[in-house]
Amino acid sequence: QVRLVESGGGLVQAGGSLRLSCAASGIIFSIDWMGWHRQAPGKQRELVAILTSSGSTNYADSVKGRYTISRDNAKNTVHLQMNSLKPEDTAVYHCYINTGGRGYWGQGTQATVSS
């Protein structure tokens, strides 16, 4: 019913920026919340940013002040702006939405930050 496709990952030098996008398609009514997770080698998956249906946002301490989650309602797309990137930000980033009582994941996009 719901398909999420991420884009925008790539290779960037430390201090640079990336803008990730997640396009949602399918039968979507109300979205309870959406967010971005990341998983680096040897580490557990980490929730880095969430956006609730009311518009409130929350960020992991590790990215707070550097990342911004936003949504384009007309295009059913959620974005993650990542600034001042550090090598430790290197991970596969997945978007997630919870709608209709179910959760849906994107396939992930790789972000690599070089020293």
Side-chain angles (χ1 to χ4, degrees):
Q1 290 184 309
V2 177
R3 175 179 168 84
L4 305 177
V5 180
E6 300 102 329
S7 62
L11 175 64
V12 66
Q13 292 183 325
S17 299
L18 287 172
R19 184 172 184 258
L20 308 183
S21 298
C22 175
S25 62
I27 303 175
I28 303 174
F29 295 95
S30 62
I31 298 177
D32 295 328
W33 66 276
M34 60 184 66
W36 288 89
H37 299 73
R38 69 182 182 185
Q39 186 163 28
K43 297 182 179 180
Q44 294 185 352
R45 180 168 292 183
E46 177 186 24
L47 175 63
V48 298
I50 62 172
L51 176 63
T52 70
S53 59
S54 64
S56 63
T57 60
N58 283 290
Y59 301 92
D61 289 340
S62 58
V63 307
K64 193 171 185 178
R66 300 186 296 116
Y67 288 17
T68 303
I69 185 171
S70 62
R71 178 183 180 182
D72 185 334
N73 291 323
K75 298 181 179 180
N76 288 326
T77 301
V78 60
H79 304 282
L80 185 67
Q81 179 68 44
M82 307 189 296
N83 298 326
S84 301
L85 286 166
K86 307 173 182 178
E88 50 263 44
D89 294 320
T90 296
V92 177
Y93 286 75
H94 298 262
C95 67
Y96 174 92
I97 64 169
N98 186 278
T99 179
R102 300 183 63 181
Y104 300 89
W105 291 90
Q107 85 287 347
T109 185
Q110 175 72 45
T112 302
V113 184
S114 62
S115 300

